[in-house]
Amino acid sequence: MSHSEDEDQDDAALFRAAIGEVKPIRQPQAVAPQKPRPRPRARMAERDEAEAHGEFARLLRDSAPLEAGDTASYRREQLPARLFQRLRKGQFSVQDELDLHGATAAQAEAMLRQFLLEAHAHEFGCVRIIHGKGMQSDGGVPVLKNLVDRLLRQRNDVLAFHSAPAAQGGTGALLVLLARK
């Protein structure tokens, strides 16, 4: 053994003595990439929608339908009467509108639900829903008018609605006052 080999072994021995006992590092096992988490869902809102849908079908069966010229009107108790009077007179600025003319009942229901979700997301206070008077409805009962009336009554985000003044659509449209977030 040469002199430099002795020094190398001494250096290695000195190093081991200086650092003490060591434990080998375990190699981490390969980790599979995790799938991205699903987007959160508004489960309570979905449940409310499902309950409202069942409730709507029952209401449509159990109550007398609105006729073409009938005024549709609804107010939650917590809404002050003076605000409801302003709504009846068309004194609120309409921030968006949905026209349901030509839609089937199923299409109208889906469109209305989506419209209200978007109106709520934009924090609109007053919207107009044009359902038509229902003069061409089978059997003379205005399907869309009754659908909209019953559906709006079931929604917690609807404070009040009333048939629009004649200049804004009359009994063929509703002004709807929405609750803010």
mmCIF file with all atom_site columns, all heavy atoms in Angstrom, residues 159-177:
data_model
loop_
_atom_site.group_PDB
_atom_site.id
_atom_site.type_symbol
_atom_site.label_atom_id
_atom_site.label_alt_id
_atom_site.label_comp_id
_atom_site.label_asym_id
_atom_site.label_entity_id
_atom_site.label_seq_id
_atom_site.pdbx_PDB_ins_code
_atom_site.Cartn_x
_atom_site.Cartn_y
_atom_site.Cartn_z
_atom_site.occupancy
_atom_site.B_iso_or_equiv
_atom_site.pdbx_formal_charge
_atom_site.auth_seq_id
_atom_site.auth_comp_id
_atom_site.auth_asym_id
_atom_site.auth_atom_id
_atom_site.pdbx_PDB_model_num
ATOM 1   N N   . LEU A 1 159 ? -88.349  37.764 -4.382  1.00 0.00 ? 159 LEU A N   1
ATOM 2   C CA  . LEU A 1 159 ? -89.052  38.489 -3.320  1.00 0.00 ? 159 LEU A CA  1
ATOM 3   C C   . LEU A 1 159 ? -90.494  38.790 -3.726  1.00 0.00 ? 159 LEU A C   1
ATOM 4   O O   . LEU A 1 159 ? -91.399  38.768 -2.897  1.00 0.00 ? 159 LEU A O   1
ATOM 5   C CB  . LEU A 1 159 ? -88.330  39.805 -3.012  1.00 0.00 ? 159 LEU A CB  1
ATOM 6   C CG  . LEU A 1 159 ? -86.930  39.684 -2.434  1.00 0.00 ? 159 LEU A CG  1
ATOM 7   C CD1 . LEU A 1 159 ? -86.286  41.059 -2.307  1.00 0.00 ? 159 LEU A CD1 1
ATOM 8   C CD2 . LEU A 1 159 ? -86.977  38.989 -1.073  1.00 0.00 ? 159 LEU A CD2 1
ATOM 9   N N   . ALA A 1 160 ? -90.689  39.130 -5.006  1.00 0.00 ? 160 ALA A N   1
ATOM 10  C CA  . ALA A 1 160 ? -92.020  39.466 -5.486  1.00 0.00 ? 160 ALA A CA  1
ATOM 11  C C   . ALA A 1 160 ? -92.024  39.458 -7.012  1.00 0.00 ? 160 ALA A C   1
ATOM 12  O O   . ALA A 1 160 ? -90.973  39.555 -7.641  1.00 0.00 ? 160 ALA A O   1
ATOM 13  C CB  . ALA A 1 160 ? -92.425  40.859 -4.984  1.00 0.00 ? 160 ALA A CB  1
ATOM 14  N N   . PHE A 1 161 ? -93.233  39.338 -7.578  1.00 0.00 ? 161 PHE A N   1
ATOM 15  C CA  . PHE A 1 161 ? -93.396  39.546 -9.010  1.00 0.00 ? 161 PHE A CA  1
ATOM 16  C C   . PHE A 1 161 ? -94.804  40.064 -9.252  1.00 0.00 ? 161 PHE A C   1
ATOM 17  O O   . PHE A 1 161 ? -95.704  39.888 -8.418  1.00 0.00 ? 161 PHE A O   1
ATOM 18  C CB  . PHE A 1 161 ? -93.091  38.292 -9.838  1.00 0.00 ? 161 PHE A CB  1
ATOM 19  C CG  . PHE A 1 161 ? -93.984  37.108 -9.562  1.00 0.00 ? 161 PHE A CG  1
ATOM 20  C CD1 . PHE A 1 161 ? -95.221  36.985 -10.166 1.00 0.00 ? 161 PHE A CD1 1
ATOM 21  C CD2 . PHE A 1 161 ? -93.553  36.097 -8.716  1.00 0.00 ? 161 PHE A CD2 1
ATOM 22  C CE1 . PHE A 1 161 ? -96.027  35.889 -9.922  1.00 0.00 ? 161 PHE A CE1 1
ATOM 23  C CE2 . PHE A 1 161 ? -94.352  34.994 -8.463  1.00 0.00 ? 161 PHE A CE2 1
ATOM 24  C CZ  . PHE A 1 161 ? -95.599  34.883 -9.066  1.00 0.00 ? 161 PHE A CZ  1
ATOM 25  N N   . HIS A 1 162 ? -94.963  40.718 -10.370 1.00 0.00 ? 162 HIS A N   1
ATOM 26  C CA  . HIS A 1 162 ? -96.273  41.256 -10.736 1.00 0.00 ? 162 HIS A CA  1
ATOM 27  C C   . HIS A 1 162 ? -96.307  41.403 -12.252 1.00 0.00 ? 162 HIS A C   1
ATOM 28  O O   . HIS A 1 162 ? -95.291  41.700 -12.868 1.00 0.00 ? 162 HIS A O   1
ATOM 29  C CB  . HIS A 1 162 ? -96.513  42.614 -10.063 1.00 0.00 ? 162 HIS A CB  1
ATOM 30  C CG  . HIS A 1 162 ? -97.954  43.017 -10.079 1.00 0.00 ? 162 HIS A CG  1
ATOM 31  N ND1 . HIS A 1 162 ? -98.547  43.605 -11.168 1.00 0.00 ? 162 HIS A ND1 1
ATOM 32  C CD2 . HIS A 1 162 ? -98.913  42.891 -9.136  1.00 0.00 ? 162 HIS A CD2 1
ATOM 33  C CE1 . HIS A 1 162 ? -99.819  43.830 -10.895 1.00 0.00 ? 162 HIS A CE1 1
ATOM 34  N NE2 . HIS A 1 162 ? -100.072 43.410 -9.660  1.00 0.00 ? 162 HIS A NE2 1
ATOM 35  N N   . SER A 1 163 ? -97.495  41.221 -12.815 1.00 0.00 ? 163 SER A N   1
ATOM 36  C CA  . SER A 1 163 ? -97.638  41.464 -14.252 1.00 0.00 ? 163 SER A CA  1
ATOM 37  C C   . SER A 1 163 ? -97.174  42.877 -14.548 1.00 0.00 ? 163 SER A C   1
ATOM 38  O O   . SER A 1 163 ? -97.412  43.799 -13.773 1.00 0.00 ? 163 SER A O   1
ATOM 39  C CB  . SER A 1 163 ? -99.096  41.285 -14.680 1.00 0.00 ? 163 SER A CB  1
ATOM 40  O OG  . SER A 1 163 ? -99.460  39.918 -14.595 1.00 0.00 ? 163 SER A OG  1
ATOM 41  N N   . ALA A 1 164 ? -96.511  43.019 -15.656 1.00 0.00 ? 164 ALA A N   1
ATOM 42  C CA  . ALA A 1 164 ? -95.924  44.313 -16.025 1.00 0.00 ? 164 ALA A CA  1
ATOM 43  C C   . ALA A 1 164 ? -97.018  45.318 -16.386 1.00 0.00 ? 164 ALA A C   1
ATOM 44  O O   . ALA A 1 164 ? -98.104  44.926 -16.810 1.00 0.00 ? 164 ALA A O   1
ATOM 45  C CB  . ALA A 1 164 ? -94.981  44.117 -17.217 1.00 0.00 ? 164 ALA A CB  1
ATOM 46  N N   . PRO A 1 165 ? -96.717  46.614 -16.244 1.00 0.00 ? 165 PRO A N   1
ATOM 47  C CA  . PRO A 1 165 ? -97.655  47.625 -16.745 1.00 0.00 ? 165 PRO A CA  1
ATOM 48  C C   . PRO A 1 165 ? -97.831  47.434 -18.257 1.00 0.00 ? 165 PRO A C   1
ATOM 49  O O   . PRO A 1 165 ? -96.973  46.845 -18.920 1.00 0.00 ? 165 PRO A O   1
ATOM 50  C CB  . PRO A 1 165 ? -96.946  48.955 -16.450 1.00 0.00 ? 165 PRO A CB  1
ATOM 51  C CG  . PRO A 1 165 ? -95.944  48.636 -15.387 1.00 0.00 ? 165 PRO A CG  1
ATOM 52  C CD  . PRO A 1 165 ? -95.548  47.209 -15.610 1.00 0.00 ? 165 PRO A CD  1
ATOM 53  N N   . ALA A 1 166 ? -98.929  47.957 -18.800 1.00 0.00 ? 166 ALA A N   1
ATOM 54  C CA  . ALA A 1 166 ? -99.261  47.763 -20.224 1.00 0.00 ? 166 ALA A CA  1
ATOM 55  C C   . ALA A 1 166 ? -98.102  48.132 -21.148 1.00 0.00 ? 166 ALA A C   1
ATOM 56  O O   . ALA A 1 166 ? -97.807  47.409 -22.105 1.00 0.00 ? 166 ALA A O   1
ATOM 57  C CB  . ALA A 1 166 ? -100.500 48.564 -20.580 1.00 0.00 ? 166 ALA A CB  1
ATOM 58  N N   . ALA A 1 167 ? -97.393  49.219 -20.853 1.00 0.00 ? 167 ALA A N   1
ATOM 59  C CA  . ALA A 1 167 ? -96.297  49.673 -21.715 1.00 0.00 ? 167 ALA A CA  1
ATOM 60  C C   . ALA A 1 167 ? -95.088  48.735 -21.664 1.00 0.00 ? 167 ALA A C   1
ATOM 61  O O   . ALA A 1 167 ? -94.216  48.799 -22.532 1.00 0.00 ? 167 ALA A O   1
ATOM 62  C CB  . ALA A 1 167 ? -95.864  51.083 -21.310 1.00 0.00 ? 167 ALA A CB  1
ATOM 63  N N   . GLN A 1 168 ? -95.016  47.853 -20.658 1.00 0.00 ? 168 GLN A N   1
ATOM 64  C CA  . GLN A 1 168 ? -93.875  46.940 -20.513 1.00 0.00 ? 168 GLN A CA  1
ATOM 65  C C   . GLN A 1 168 ? -94.248  45.481 -20.781 1.00 0.00 ? 168 GLN A C   1
ATOM 66  O O   . GLN A 1 168 ? -93.486  44.578 -20.444 1.00 0.00 ? 168 GLN A O   1
ATOM 67  C CB  . GLN A 1 168 ? -93.281  47.067 -19.106 1.00 0.00 ? 168 GLN A CB  1
ATOM 68  C CG  . GLN A 1 168 ? -92.683  48.423 -18.813 1.00 0.00 ? 168 GLN A CG  1
ATOM 69  C CD  . GLN A 1 168 ? -92.023  48.450 -17.446 1.00 0.00 ? 168 GLN A CD  1
ATOM 70  O OE1 . GLN A 1 168 ? -91.378  47.491 -17.017 1.00 0.00 ? 168 GLN A OE1 1
ATOM 71  N NE2 . GLN A 1 168 ? -92.167  49.567 -16.749 1.00 0.00 ? 168 GLN A NE2 1
ATOM 72  N N   . GLY A 1 169 ? -95.416  45.246 -21.358 1.00 0.00 ? 169 GLY A N   1
ATOM 73  C CA  . GLY A 1 169 ? -95.796  43.876 -21.698 1.00 0.00 ? 169 GLY A CA  1
ATOM 74  C C   . GLY A 1 169 ? -97.107  43.426 -21.109 1.00 0.00 ? 169 GLY A C   1
ATOM 75  O O   . GLY A 1 169 ? -97.618  42.364 -21.447 1.00 0.00 ? 169 GLY A O   1
ATOM 76  N N   . GLY A 1 170 ? -97.655  44.192 -20.169 1.00 0.00 ? 170 GLY A N   1
ATOM 77  C CA  . GLY A 1 170 ? -98.947  43.853 -19.573 1.00 0.00 ? 170 GLY A CA  1
ATOM 78  C C   . GLY A 1 170 ? -98.977  42.459 -18.982 1.00 0.00 ? 170 GLY A C   1
ATOM 79  O O   . GLY A 1 170 ? -98.002  42.000 -18.382 1.00 0.00 ? 170 GLY A O   1
ATOM 80  N N   . THR A 1 171 ? -100.103 41.766 -19.187 1.00 0.00 ? 171 THR A N   1
ATOM 81  C CA  . THR A 1 171 ? -100.262 40.433 -18.588 1.00 0.00 ? 171 THR A CA  1
ATOM 82  C C   . THR A 1 171 ? -99.475  39.357 -19.346 1.00 0.00 ? 171 THR A C   1
ATOM 83  O O   . THR A 1 171 ? -99.558  38.180 -18.999 1.00 0.00 ? 171 THR A O   1
ATOM 84  C CB  . THR A 1 171 ? -101.757 40.039 -18.509 1.00 0.00 ? 171 THR A CB  1
ATOM 85  O OG1 . THR A 1 171 ? -102.317 40.100 -19.826 1.00 0.00 ? 171 THR A OG1 1
ATOM 86  C CG2 . THR A 1 171 ? -102.512 40.950 -17.564 1.00 0.00 ? 171 THR A CG2 1
ATOM 87  N N   . GLY A 1 172 ? -98.693  39.762 -20.344 1.00 0.00 ? 172 GLY A N   1
ATOM 88  C CA  . GLY A 1 172 ? -97.834  38.826 -21.068 1.00 0.00 ? 172 GLY A CA  1
ATOM 89  C C   . GLY A 1 172 ? -96.395  38.847 -20.566 1.00 0.00 ? 172 GLY A C   1
ATOM 90  O O   . GLY A 1 172 ? -95.524  38.186 -21.118 1.00 0.00 ? 172 GLY A O   1
ATOM 91  N N   . ALA A 1 173 ? -96.146  39.624 -19.494 1.00 0.00 ? 173 ALA A N   1
ATOM 92  C CA  . ALA A 1 173 ? -94.789  39.720 -18.947 1.00 0.00 ? 173 ALA A CA  1
ATOM 93  C C   . ALA A 1 173 ? -94.861  39.934 -17.438 1.00 0.00 ? 173 ALA A C   1
ATOM 94  O O   . ALA A 1 173 ? -95.866  40.420 -16.914 1.00 0.00 ? 173 ALA A O   1
ATOM 95  C CB  . ALA A 1 173 ? -94.032  40.877 -19.602 1.00 0.00 ? 173 ALA A CB  1
ATOM 96  N N   . LEU A 1 174 ? -93.814  39.577 -16.774 1.00 0.00 ? 174 LEU A N   1
ATOM 97  C CA  . LEU A 1 174 ? -93.717  39.770 -15.323 1.00 0.00 ? 174 LEU A CA  1
ATOM 98  C C   . LEU A 1 174 ? -92.501  40.611 -14.996 1.00 0.00 ? 174 LEU A C   1
ATOM 99  O O   . LEU A 1 174 ? -91.433  40.428 -15.583 1.00 0.00 ? 174 LEU A O   1
ATOM 100 C CB  . LEU A 1 174 ? -93.548  38.427 -14.606 1.00 0.00 ? 174 LEU A CB  1
ATOM 101 C CG  . LEU A 1 174 ? -94.722  37.503 -14.522 1.00 0.00 ? 174 LEU A CG  1
ATOM 102 C CD1 . LEU A 1 174 ? -94.301  36.189 -13.856 1.00 0.00 ? 174 LEU A CD1 1
ATOM 103 C CD2 . LEU A 1 174 ? -95.861  38.127 -13.745 1.00 0.00 ? 174 LEU A CD2 1
ATOM 104 N N   . LEU A 1 175 ? -92.649  41.483 -14.022 1.00 0.00 ? 175 LEU A N   1
ATOM 105 C CA  . LEU A 1 175 ? -91.492  42.171 -13.418 1.00 0.00 ? 175 LEU A CA  1
ATOM 106 C C   . LEU A 1 175 ? -91.206  41.380 -12.142 1.00 0.00 ? 175 LEU A C   1
ATOM 107 O O   . LEU A 1 175 ? -92.115  41.113 -11.346 1.00 0.00 ? 175 LEU A O   1
ATOM 108 C CB  . LEU A 1 175 ? -91.832  43.618 -13.085 1.00 0.00 ? 175 LEU A CB  1
ATOM 109 C CG  . LEU A 1 175 ? -92.160  44.512 -14.277 1.00 0.00 ? 175 LEU A CG  1
ATOM 110 C CD1 . LEU A 1 175 ? -92.461  45.931 -13.811 1.00 0.00 ? 175 LEU A CD1 1
ATOM 111 C CD2 . LEU A 1 175 ? -91.010  44.524 -15.271 1.00 0.00 ? 175 LEU A CD2 1
ATOM 112 N N   . VAL A 1 176 ? -89.951  41.008 -11.973 1.00 0.00 ? 176 VAL A N   1
ATOM 113 C CA  . VAL A 1 176 ? -89.569  40.149 -10.851 1.00 0.00 ? 176 VAL A CA  1
ATOM 114 C C   . VAL A 1 176 ? -88.521  40.871 -10.008 1.00 0.00 ? 176 VAL A C   1
ATOM 115 O O   . VAL A 1 176 ? -87.507  41.337 -10.536 1.00 0.00 ? 176 VAL A O   1
ATOM 116 C CB  . VAL A 1 176 ? -88.988  38.802 -11.358 1.00 0.00 ? 176 VAL A CB  1
ATOM 117 C CG1 . VAL A 1 176 ? -88.654  37.890 -10.192 1.00 0.00 ? 176 VAL A CG1 1
ATOM 118 C CG2 . VAL A 1 176 ? -89.949  38.135 -12.312 1.00 0.00 ? 176 VAL A CG2 1
ATOM 119 N N   . LEU A 1 177 ? -88.779  40.956 -8.702  1.00 0.00 ? 177 LEU A N   1
ATOM 120 C CA  . LEU A 1 177 ? -87.851  41.554 -7.760  1.00 0.00 ? 177 LEU A CA  1
ATOM 121 C C   . LEU A 1 177 ? -87.067  40.421 -7.110  1.00 0.00 ? 177 LEU A C   1
ATOM 122 O O   . LEU A 1 177 ? -87.651  39.506 -6.529  1.00 0.00 ? 177 LEU A O   1
ATOM 123 C CB  . LEU A 1 177 ? -88.630  42.349 -6.706  1.00 0.00 ? 177 LEU A CB  1
ATOM 124 C CG  . LEU A 1 177 ? -87.979  43.536 -6.076  1.00 0.00 ? 177 LEU A CG  1
ATOM 125 C CD1 . LEU A 1 177 ? -87.455  44.516 -7.116  1.00 0.00 ? 177 LEU A CD1 1
ATOM 126 C CD2 . LEU A 1 177 ? -88.952  44.246 -5.150  1.00 0.00 ? 177 LEU A CD2 1
#
